[in-house]
Amino acid sequence: MLFLGHLGDTQLAAGSLAIAFANITGYSVLSGLALGMEPLCSQAFGANRPKLLSLTLQRCILFLLFSSLPITFLWLNISNILIFLHQDHQITRLARTYLIFSLPELFTNSFIHPLRIYLRAQGITLPLTLATLAGTLLHLPINYFFVIKFRLGVAGVAASAATSNAVVLITLVLYIWLSGLYKATWTEPTRECFTGWGPLIKLAAPSCVSVCLEWWWYEIVIVLCGLLIDPKATVASMGVLIQTTSLLYIFPSSLGFGVSTRVGHELGANRPEKARLSAMVSIFVAGVMGLTAMVFATSIRDLWGRMFTDDIQILRLTSAALPILGLCELGNCPQTVGCGVVRGTARPSIAANVNLSAFYVVGMPVAVGLGFWVGVGFCGFWIGLLTAQVCCAGLMLYVVGTTDWKFQAVRAQFLTCAGACGEKDNEKEPLICVTVTSS
């Protein structure tokens, strides 16, 4: 975003729109589908069934690669879609360029997401940190050479992101291979990778829906910004603010991943009380995170936008919305961690229902009503998000607070037993019955 802002306001708006479309149709889908393997791996590891992890990893990678094919076709035809949505033609042309050069990220993400979950389910985080650090350290110089030195413009920014992502994948694979971390859980790929996808897909589909419903809300609002007066300023400002909330999201998201693994381990090992304690502690920490994020967003309201642009209108919009963004984090942090708890119990359909109700039954009507009908405009979208986050947090806290942990521990035994068996056993009725009962 910083380099797009350096190129100009039109490029910043086009990049924001392209990233929004990529998140809606690509990154959110792959991330959500990969999360289907998280409860399988963490509960299997807790139940001392280590070989199930590698089989689930192999199946998930194949699943994501296959899912990337229709996404690629969609990105290649982005121009027609954005013009149909009444977006500016110049912004649309640059957005298509950005997406074309982002296509390699679909391939790398199809490996990175499953590998992260595979390691995290075993409590291994150092390789993830080192690989991401390598990609981050190289990201700035790669951007400098592609954008400033070689003058590749928007294409250079997209290519830099794709290259940095490739660095993360290569570093991660090399670390795993050279350190031998894979040996305790690894099994050679066989034809079994192409069979017995039942439990994975049953968890991947609602996980994907849950992630997409939340991600899509932000990106749909970027498209709606293109329909307001002065679309270049509103789209660019929304892009900056979404990058800001993405930065703040790192902290509750990381805690959510951690508690998901922890809850999965404890349930797989049939220790429901420890799973409940982990959930309660994480929710409390999430509340502290939300308060800290609110103070941060409010205190930087007059400074933050200047890192991206000098445009007065973009700065004005960004400054006005940052305090509302901070209030959103009071709800976002607990609900994100709550989603992690629910994921650890292998109940992604609950998170999907909560996100659907909060973001689209409550938040979207409020945002559209305030933004267009009442005439509040840009800040009306963020007030809509605030109502969605408050509703989402309340529902998620209720779900976590009323969870029957003993029942979930029994259910984990069914899930890991079904996943550890062959193809026919993967479709055993007990798994289906337990899943239906819990929801």
Side-chain angles (χ1 to χ4, degrees):
M1 292 298 290
L2 288 170
F3 277 90
L4 286 169
H6 170 79
L7 292 171
D9 295 338
T10 302
Q11 288 83 350
L12 180 61
S16 299
L17 189 61
I19 292 170
F21 191 84
N23 282 333
I24 290 173
T25 60
Y27 303 143
S28 63
V29 173
L30 295 182
S31 176
L33 290 175
L35 287 176
M37 70 177 281
E38 186 166 21
L40 283 172
C41 288
S42 60
Q43 292 186 9
F45 189 78
N48 198 26
R49 295 181 179 274
K51 297 300 180 182
L52 179 58
L53 272 72
S54 60
L55 180 59
T56 305
L57 170 67
Q58 294 155 13
R59 286 172 174 165
C60 190
I61 290 174
L62 290 173
F63 187 34
L64 295 190
L65 288 172
F66 179 78
S67 302
S68 296
L69 297 178
I71 297 172
T72 299
F73 177 79
L74 196 62
W75 285 15
L76 292 173
N77 292 276
I78 174 68
S79 296
N80 295 332
I81 298 171
L82 291 182
I83 290 174
F84 175 77
L85 294 173
H86 304 289
Q87 300 299 305
D88 180 87
H89 282 245
Q90 185 180 6
I91 292 177
T92 296
R93 179 180 60 82
L94 290 173
R96 183 180 187 275
T97 300
Y98 188 99
L99 284 174
I100 294 298
F101 282 86
S102 297
L103 284 173
E105 288 201 82
L106 295 177
F107 175 81
T108 53
N109 280 333
S110 295
F111 285 87
I112 289 175
H113 288 312
L115 282 171
R116 281 174 173 162
I117 296 170
Y118 167 74
L119 292 175
R120 197 166 59 233
Q122 303 171 63
I124 301 172
T125 56
L126 180 60
L128 306 177
T129 304
L130 294 178
T132 309
L133 178 62
T136 304
L137 291 177
L138 290 174
H139 191 54
L140 185 62
I142 291 172
N143 263 287
Y144 174 78
F145 280 104
F146 282 9
V147 180
I148 307 299
K149 209 74 173 174
F150 300 146
R151 300 182 182 278
L152 296 179
V154 169
V157 177
S160 300
T163 304
S164 299
N165 221 30
V167 170
V168 173
L169 176 59
I170 293 170
T171 305
L172 191 57
V173 171
L174 285 176
Y175 190 102
I176 294 172
W177 180 50
L178 294 175
S179 64
L181 285 175
Y182 64 94
K183 292 180 179 178
T185 57
W186 186 251
T187 55
E188 292 296 328
T190 64
R191 290 183 180 179
E192 196 176 0
C193 297
F194 298 93
T195 61
W197 286 24
L200 177 62
I201 294 177
K202 286 173 188 175
L203 294 172
S207 294
C208 181
V209 171
S210 175
V211 171
C212 288
L213 286 174
E214 184 175 357
W215 284 36
W216 288 359
W217 201 99
Y218 292 92
E219 314 309 343
I220 289 171
V221 169
I222 278 197
V223 176
L224 293 178
C225 283
L227 304 178
L228 293 173
I229 299 174
D230 194 3
K232 288 184 181 180
T234 54
V235 171
S237 180
M238 184 61 73
V240 170
L241 289 165
I242 288 178
Q243 290 296 310
T244 308
T245 195
S246 297
L247 172 65
L248 297 174
Y249 179 76
I250 289 171
F251 302 100
S253 176
S254 300
L255 181 59
F257 287 138
V259 72
S260 175
T261 301
R262 181 73 175 182
V263 166
H265 284 177
E266 302 299 352
L267 292 178
N270 200 18
R271 294 192 292 260
E273 284 305 313
K274 288 191 175 182
R276 186 190 68 83
L277 179 61
S278 297
M280 296 301 106
V281 171
S282 68
I283 294 294
F284 173 77
V285 175
V288 176
M289 282 183 175
L291 184 61
T292 305
M294 182 192 70
V295 173
F296 171 78
T298 304
S299 62
I300 61 167
R301 59 179 299 182
D302 296 323
L303 302 172
W304 190 251
R306 298 186 184 279
M307 292 197 303
F308 299 89
T309 181
D310 292 325
D311 185 281
I312 296 176
Q313 182 66 1
I314 297 175
L315 292 176
R316 184 185 66 81
L317 292 171
T318 303
S319 177
L322 270 172
I324 308 174
L325 184 153
L327 289 172
C328 290
E329 292 304 312
L330 283 175
N332 187 37
C333 289
Q335 76 93 4
T336 299
V337 174
C339 282
V341 173
V342 171
R343 235 178 15 249
T345 63
R347 295 180 295 167
S349 59
I350 291 180
N353 290 332
V354 167
N355 285 344
L356 175 63
S357 302
F359 284 95
Y360 295 91
V361 177
V362 177
M364 188 59 73
V366 172
V368 172
L370 291 176
F372 294 108
W373 298 338
V374 178
V376 177
F378 185 76
C379 286
F381 293 155
W382 283 97
I383 295 173
L385 175 61
L386 176 60
T387 60
Q389 292 287 17
V390 171
C391 180
C392 195
L395 290 172
M396 194 58 69
L397 290 175
Y398 172 78
V399 169
V400 174
T402 56
T403 295
D404 185 341
W405 293 100
K406 291 183 179 179
F407 174 77
Q408 295 304 324
V410 173
R411 182 170 174 266
Q413 311 312 307
F414 275 88
L415 183 61
T416 52
C417 285
C421 298
E423 177 183 0
K424 293 182 180 179
D425 288 338
N426 272 331
E427 304 301 331
K428 285 174 91 175
E429 191 67 16
L431 174 61
I432 301 172
C433 287
V434 172
T435 303
V436 173
T437 303
S438 69
S439 62

